[in-house]
Amino acid sequence: CALPISVISDSNNSVVATIPTGKTPTKLVYDSGANEVFVFNGGEPNVSVISDNNNTIVATFITSTSSMVYDSGSNEIFMANIYNNTVSVISDKTNTPVATLPIGELPYDPYDLAYDSGKGEIFVANSNSGTVSVISDSLQSVSPSPTVPEFSGIVIILVMGMAIVISLIGVVLRRRYKQ
């Protein structure tokens, strides 16, 4: 049974579309470069790509992501694949994987992602190994091989929380400027 995603107009706070995506849609990422929303359907597991222009699904692909982040520097989506210790890089032009980077240790690394637009880096919280990996935006390489020294848990939580807040503010501002 596919569960729907609701599209809400911020001009009048009403539902303007309901889009069935898949079982248990749990994570959303807005891609401002392509005006698309990536929805992770945890019960499948797959990702549905929804066009913001016409509220229809334009692509679906299989993944085991635990987290997603939009990289505005490279116009790509990065997805943490918790079960196979990789990060997938998805092109926003083709909505297909263009690279797979090995990250962390088995089992259940990497877990969460944050994007630093100032430095063009993706931070990957590795839950099992207690480390943070850094992916260079320009090189799409993991540095240093494959993890950086461990940060305290509170620093990781603060960084991830700030990334979520910044992403939400960006979505609200983009929607308001469109109108």
Side-chain angles (χ1 to χ4, degrees):
C1 173
L3 297 175
I5 297 294
S6 296
V7 180
I8 300 171
S9 168
D10 61 352
S11 64
N12 61 11
N13 295 322
S14 65
V15 175
V16 295
T18 303
I19 307 159
T21 57
K23 294 180 183 174
T24 320
T26 57
K27 304 206 182 302
L28 301 166
V29 171
Y30 182 70
D31 175 347
S32 60
N35 293 323
E36 294 175 332
V37 176
F38 285 66
V39 180
F40 175 64
N41 302 302
E44 303 285 331
N46 67 29
V47 170
S48 299
V49 183
I50 299 171
S51 168
D52 190 24
N53 298 323
N54 58 18
N55 296 323
T56 60
I57 295 175
V58 295
T60 302
F61 53 89
I62 296 171
T63 185
S64 62
T65 192
S66 60
S67 180
M68 300 182 291
V69 67
Y70 174 64
D71 178 342
S72 59
S74 65
N75 293 324
E76 295 171 323
I77 302 290
F78 283 71
M79 297 182 175
N81 300 310
I82 190 168
Y83 298 115
N84 65 8
N85 292 10
T86 61
V87 170
S88 296
V89 183
I90 311 299
S91 165
D92 78 350
K93 290 179 180 51
T94 64
N95 292 323
T96 58
V98 294
T100 303
L101 306 171
I103 304 283
E105 303 172 3
L106 286 173
Y108 312 124
D109 271 356
Y111 189 75
D112 206 358
L113 302 168
Y115 175 61
D116 179 346
S117 61
K119 291 187 175 186
E121 296 175 332
I122 307 290
F123 290 83
V124 184
N126 300 308
S127 62
N128 186 48
S129 61
T131 60
V132 173
S133 299
V134 181
I135 301 171
S136 169
D137 195 19
S138 60
L139 303 175
Q140 285 190 2
S141 62
V142 180
S143 171
S145 56
T147 57
V148 296
E150 182 176 338
F151 289 104
S152 71
I154 193 69
V155 171
I156 293 171
I157 291 168
L158 289 172
V159 168
M160 296 305 162
M162 287 177 13
I164 291 169
V165 169
I166 290 168
S167 294
L168 291 173
I169 291 170
V171 168
V172 169
L173 291 175
R174 280 189 291 277
R175 295 238 181 226
R176 290 188 186 227
Y177 286 123
K178 281 185 175 182
Q179 297 176 8

